[in-house]
PDB file of all heavy atoms in Angstrom:
ATOM      1  N   ASN A 125       7.858   0.515 -27.527  1.00  0.00           N
ATOM      2  CA  ASN A 125       7.454   1.331 -28.676  1.00  0.00           C
ATOM      3  C   ASN A 125       8.214   2.652 -28.713  1.00  0.00           C
ATOM      4  O   ASN A 125       8.674   3.087 -29.778  1.00  0.00           O
ATOM      5  CB  ASN A 125       5.949   1.593 -28.600  1.00  0.00           C
ATOM      6  CG  ASN A 125       5.451   2.481 -29.721  1.00  0.00           C
ATOM      7  OD1 ASN A 125       5.355   2.070 -30.869  1.00  0.00           O
ATOM      8  ND2 ASN A 125       5.126   3.728 -29.395  1.00  0.00           N
ATOM      9  N   VAL A 126       8.367   3.285 -27.545  1.00  0.00           N
ATOM     10  CA  VAL A 126       9.133   4.541 -27.466  1.00  0.00           C
ATOM     11  C   VAL A 126      10.563   4.332 -27.964  1.00  0.00           C
ATOM     12  O   VAL A 126      11.097   5.124 -28.756  1.00  0.00           O
ATOM     13  CB  VAL A 126       9.151   5.081 -26.018  1.00  0.00           C
ATOM     14  CG1 VAL A 126      10.159   6.222 -25.872  1.00  0.00           C
ATOM     15  CG2 VAL A 126       7.765   5.553 -25.600  1.00  0.00           C
ATOM     16  N   LEU A 198      17.310 -14.211 -15.988  1.00  0.00           N
ATOM     17  CA  LEU A 198      18.203 -13.335 -16.747  1.00  0.00           C
ATOM     18  C   LEU A 198      19.659 -13.565 -16.347  1.00  0.00           C
ATOM     19  O   LEU A 198      20.555 -13.593 -17.208  1.00  0.00           O
ATOM     20  CB  LEU A 198      17.825 -11.870 -16.536  1.00  0.00           C
ATOM     21  CG  LEU A 198      18.727 -10.843 -17.242  1.00  0.00           C
ATOM     22  CD1 LEU A 198      18.763 -11.064 -18.752  1.00  0.00           C
ATOM     23  CD2 LEU A 198      18.286  -9.422 -16.915  1.00  0.00           C
ATOM     24  N   ASP A 258       0.975  11.949 -25.432  1.00  0.00           N
ATOM     25  CA  ASP A 258       0.736  13.047 -24.508  1.00  0.00           C
ATOM     26  C   ASP A 258       2.055  13.399 -23.818  1.00  0.00           C
ATOM     27  O   ASP A 258       2.922  12.544 -23.646  1.00  0.00           O
ATOM     28  CB  ASP A 258      -0.293  12.637 -23.447  1.00  0.00           C
ATOM     29  CG  ASP A 258      -1.720  12.778 -23.942  1.00  0.00           C
ATOM     30  OD1 ASP A 258      -1.907  13.157 -25.109  1.00  0.00           O
ATOM     31  OD2 ASP A 258      -2.641  12.499 -23.156  1.00  0.00           O
ATOM     32  N   GLY A 349       8.901  15.693  -5.871  1.00  0.00           N
ATOM     33  CA  GLY A 349       9.275  15.610  -7.286  1.00  0.00           C
ATOM     34  C   GLY A 349       8.362  14.694  -8.068  1.00  0.00           C
ATOM     35  O   GLY A 349       7.269  14.316  -7.630  1.00  0.00           O
TER      36      GLY A 349
END
Side-chain angles (χ1 to χ4, degrees):
N125 178 73
V126 169
L198 178 58
D258 278 2

